[in-house]
Amino acid sequence: MRFMVARESVEVIKTEKLTFTYAGRNEPSIRDVGLSIEKGEFVILTGPSGCGKTTLCRCFNGLIPHFYQGKLEGEVIVAGLKVNEHPTYELACHVGLVFQNPENQLFALSVEKDVAFGLENLGLPREEIRKRVDWAMKVAGVYELKDRAPYELSGGQQQRVAIASVLAMRPEVIVLDEPTSFLDPLGAKRIFEDIYKLNQKLGITVILVEHRLDLAAKYATRVIVMNDGRVLLDGDPREVLSLEKTRLLGVGIPKATRLYQLLKNDGIPLKSGKVPLTPEEAAEAIKEAFKSD
Amino acid sequence: MIEVKDLRFVYPNGVEALRGVSLKIEDGEFVAIMGQNGAGKTTLVKHFNGLLKPTKGDVYVDGVNTKDVSVATLARKVGYVFQNPDHQLFCESVEQEVAFALKNFGFDQETIEKRVSWALQLLGLTQYRQVSPFMLSGGERKRVALASVLAWDPKVVILDEPTIGQDYAQKEKLRQFIMQLRTQKKTVVIVTHDVEFVAECQPRIILMKNGKIVADGSAKEILTNPEVLLQASVIPPQITQTFHYLKDIGLPTNVIDVYEARETILEFLGETKK
């Protein structure tokens, strides 16, 4: 008897012919979106402003259609649940949303209370709340700050508290909408490293909405480019980000990738193989051209 | 001209945000203020239009001490575009928003109409004229805030984190737009974390940490000095990092922009093949 041990691929988000029109608008903000995202993926969702990225993310955790009014067509299934048939508090246990500006998300008088808020609303037993809050604060690196007021913290610390609040719900998916735009570059780099760790160690599926790809591109397993409400490109980051089409659309591709493209177009014999996303990789590719033949 | 002399500022809660800052910004200069979160960048620029007054020290705008004039008088000269557009926008339509300050400054109806149309067109917002700012995306609201300040044509324009929520094409427009302001001899001050944007625009950079200035110089000087940058939690641009890794094959380390990088590499290749 033979056992087939295949790595199971579990679909955590599925959309089919998803179209949404906000109340009061004539045109849909997303059109005909069909996506399948599997557990453990690290997806970067990008595209020009107003392309529908944020609207799509609102569909993943039920803010659409439960909070934002409008006309929803097609289907969104998250962790096996049809989003329009389940309330947002139930969906919040499966999909966590981290906003651009942590100020908009934090409100309690202490970090610990902020992190516990969502769980208290679920009516979980006290012990379970305690356990999850401590765990989430430790994973997000804010345990030492638990008695501090969120508004006293730096932007980077606040964003970590927002991440901890989301983690406490033990979601399968975390959606982050430009989570580092208010942070200094070093703070941004650390947040991306931490998100990557969550993805690697806990297998949490990450959907990162981002314009600035210089720091984040190297962590992605997949890049989705939207334009005018539709998914235009979807694939391997190195392939998608090196397409001329992507650049012309106004996606801020990493400068290391751009330099590689320019030199390649000039006919410089760069190291072939993978398209660089980081300075280290670009330097390695360029060094090839300087080797004496 | 903006002149800051030994500026100290303590917030009412006791936080000492600026701890002795001195600087001069000449007319027509383009300056980027960068550095750590909480370094005092926004606190500093809020002194330029008198939104904040020094706890100690002085700030002069065109020779006038900001302690001696109202924010309303200074605002005519120094326009400040907030980091978060929601702190600035409140009208029912984009058009009303952009016209608001003009009305307050007492411009006549015809001028207001002209200026509003001009500013909306400049920032690609004409189609949203009658739309509520709150129906727009974050990036679009940011542009509405910018349009409403530019409409009254201030001499100094301060942009607090102008690239947040903007895609690359819009950033490129913003860059061209800043260059256009400079041809009109306007002083432009931006507060930003966006290293790649700064590498493209190449302004003078003032680097801050813990309420003090740690470095002040050209974009090239500052962005190619990794030790100084790190002190202020800034990471060098990708191109500069790439050239750092190419140092051992003899390439220069003072490159910040992608087109300059290409030229430098082509030139070096030309020489080594000779």
Side-chain angles (χ1 to χ4, degrees), chain A residues 22-25 47-50 100-101 103-104 154-156 178 181-187 189 211-215 247 249-259 262-263 265-266 268-269 277-280 282-284 286-287 289-291 293, chain B residues 34-37 41 83-84 86-87 131 135-137 139-140 143 161 163-171 193-196 200 230 232-235 237-239 241-243 245-249 251 257-259 261-262 264-266 268-269 272-273:
Chain A
Y22 286 99
R25 290 264 181 111
S49 284
Q100 189 179 69
N101 191 345
E103 268 183 40
N104 296 345
S154 75
E178 295 191 67
S181 27
F182 286 90
L183 306 187
D184 58 50
L186 200 59
K189 183 170 171 255
H211 282 305
R212 285 161 59 182
L213 303 181
D214 297 272
L215 291 173
R247 188 177 67 84
L249 203 61
V251 172
I253 56 171
K255 285 293 184 289
T257 312
R258 180 72 188 127
L259 179 60
L262 285 171
L263 294 170
N265 291 344
D266 289 330
I268 304 299
L277 295 175
T278 65
E280 290 96 320
E284 200 188 316
I286 291 164
K287 276 183 181 173
F290 284 87
K291 279 185 184 151
D293 21 37
Chain B
M34 303 187 79
Q36 230 162 29
N37 280 111
K41 304 181 297 289
Q83 186 178 92
N84 185 344
D86 298 340
H87 293 172
V131 175
M135 288 294 289
L136 303 178
S137 76
E140 288 161 345
R143 280 184 284 147
E161 292 288 1
T163 65
I164 288 183
Q166 305 295 324
D167 63 42
Y168 188 74
Q170 286 162 351
K171 280 193 212 179
H193 288 310
D194 196 334
V195 184
E196 299 297 341
E200 283 180 32
L230 197 62
S233 295
V234 178
I235 298 169
Q238 277 211 336
I239 293 298
Q241 289 183 50
T242 304
F243 275 70
Y245 294 113
L246 293 169
K247 197 165 61 176
D248 53 347
I249 58 167
L251 283 158
D257 171 75
V258 69
Y259 294 101
R262 172 209 207 172
T264 309
I265 288 169
L266 291 180
F268 262 69
L269 273 175
T272 50
K273 298 279 157 172

Side-chain angles (χ1 to χ4, degrees), chain B residues 144-209:
Chain B
V144 174
L146 180 55
S148 61
V149 166
L150 288 169
W152 81 73
D153 200 27
K155 195 174 146 190
V156 180
V157 181
I158 301 170
L159 308 169
D160 202 343
E161 292 288 1
T163 65
I164 288 183
Q166 305 295 324
D167 63 42
Y168 188 74
Q170 286 162 351
K171 280 193 212 179
E172 179 52 26
K173 269 190 207 151
L174 179 72
R175 189 182 70 81
Q176 289 170 4
F177 181 68
I178 291 173
M179 295 310 150
Q180 196 184 330
L181 289 176
R182 298 199 63 207
T183 62
Q184 297 165 18
K185 301 273 183 260
K186 296 212 186 290
T187 308
V188 181
V189 179
I190 63 173
V191 174
T192 187
H193 288 310
D194 196 334
V195 184
E196 299 297 341
F197 182 70
V198 171
E200 283 180 32
C201 299
Q202 312 211 0
R204 165 184 166 195
I205 297 177
I206 293 174
L207 206 57
M208 291 186 70
K209 185 198 174 181

Side-chain angles (χ1 to χ4, degrees), chain B residues 45-78:
Chain B
V45 295
K46 280 184 176 167
H47 279 83
F48 296 170
N49 73 340
L51 269 181
L52 295 176
K53 303 286 164 89
T55 307
K56 268 189 188 161
D58 293 287
V59 177
Y60 297 91
V61 175
D62 282 342
V64 179
N65 195 321
T66 59
K67 284 175 185 164
D68 301 334
V69 281
S70 68
V71 184
T73 315
L74 271 174
R76 186 71 187 81
K77 213 177 256 178
V78 183

Side-chain angles (χ1 to χ4, degrees), chain B residues 213-249:
Chain B
I213 293 176
V214 289
D216 182 349
S218 71
K220 201 155 211 184
E221 276 166 11
I222 306 282
L223 293 180
T224 57
N225 187 339
E227 290 79 23
V228 154
L229 287 179
L230 197 62
Q231 265 190 59
S233 295
V234 178
I235 298 169
Q238 277 211 336
I239 293 298
T240 312
Q241 289 183 50
T242 304
F243 275 70
H244 173 79
Y245 294 113
L246 293 169
K247 197 165 61 176
D248 53 347
I249 58 167

Side-chain angles (χ1 to χ4, degrees), chain A residues 5-9 38-39:
Chain A
V5 187
R7 223 190 69 186
E8 214 181 327
S9 65
E38 287 179 11
K39 184 171 165 29

